[in-house]
Amino acid sequence: MTAHCFTFFETAIGRCAIVWGGRGIVGAQLPEACETETRRRLLDRFPDAREAVPPPNAARAKEGIAALLRGETSDLSTVALDMDAAPPFRRRVYEATRAILPGETQTYGAIAQKIGAAGAARAVGQALGRNPFALIVPCHRVLAANGKLGGFSAHGGLATKLRLLAIEGTQMRAAHARTQKETARLL
């Protein structure tokens, strides 16, 4: 088994990290409440990881994530991911989610339909809740039905999801007053 390596880097929302192995990126970490917590969470997920200078693919991921979080156009679709640890269903979800462009959103149900699993919106949400490739697989761009936000498992939850969507210039068209109130409360 190839040991994993990681690097931390500054972004507009705080210090993020990426983790890679011999076959590509195996994880990305959004900031926690403090850098110590970010490091702890990363090492909980990848206990064998050691800090290192990123190779070209990881450097491209790092620069792309930083650019995206500055509100710049950034195409992360060419960053090689190592999805070997993900079950086949999750891989299909991650691949379909990667196709969502900045500023756009899709629903969990639309992703389910796209991967040939119509009716599996909840399973898509669960797969995205376990997404190890934050921002490279842009799970923040996936919403619940009727424009509701759905969930977000990163630190800050829905407030972080809204912040990421706002950075990308996504126009939220909430279908219900409840969602609009929730959005205002979180911002």
Side-chain angles (χ1 to χ4, degrees):
M1 179 177 163
T2 304
H4 296 125
C5 296
F6 69 90
T7 191
F8 282 95
F9 57 99
E10 293 298 327
T11 73
I13 67 168
R15 280 178 68 79
C16 291
I18 51 168
V19 184
W20 65 91
R23 295 176 43 104
I25 303 299
V26 294
Q29 179 65 52
L30 293 175
E32 294 289 322
C34 66
E35 186 174 339
T36 303
E37 284 299 307
T38 305
R39 182 177 290 274
R40 184 195 57 75
R41 185 159 182 191
L42 181 132
L43 292 174
D44 282 350
R45 291 172 55 202
F46 302 98
D48 70 326
R50 62 180 174 76
E51 205 156 357
V53 174
N57 182 60
R60 195 168 46 256
K62 179 181 102 167
E63 294 306 316
I65 288 170
L68 187 72
L69 293 173
R70 286 191 302 267
E72 298 171 10
T73 301
S74 180
D75 180 9
L76 297 168
S77 67
T78 61
V79 172
L81 299 179
D82 179 351
M83 292 195 208
D84 285 352
F89 179 81
R90 285 190 204 159
R91 287 183 203 174
R92 293 190 341 256
V93 169
Y94 299 157
E95 289 165 2
T97 302
R98 267 187 113 177
I100 305 169
L101 300 174
E104 296 180 2
T105 60
Q106 288 189 12
T107 65
Y108 297 107
I111 296 292
Q113 197 158 18
K114 186 178 280 189
I115 65 169
R122 182 167 287 168
V124 167
Q126 291 170 346
L128 291 175
R130 293 179 180 94
N131 174 17
F133 310 105
L135 298 177
I136 301 168
V137 172
C139 56
H140 63 282
R141 297 178 190 152
V142 184
L143 307 176
N146 299 318
K148 293 181 181 178
L149 290 173
F152 197 61
S153 61
H155 175 74
L158 294 178
T160 299
K161 185 173 188 169
L162 283 168
R163 186 174 182 192
L164 295 173
L165 291 169
I167 288 169
E168 293 180 350
T170 304
Q171 298 298 315
M172 297 297 299
R173 295 186 193 119
H176 301 290
R178 180 172 165 240
T179 302
Q180 290 171 341
K181 287 179 188 174
E182 174 188 17
T183 301
R185 181 179 57 80
L186 293 170
L187 290 176

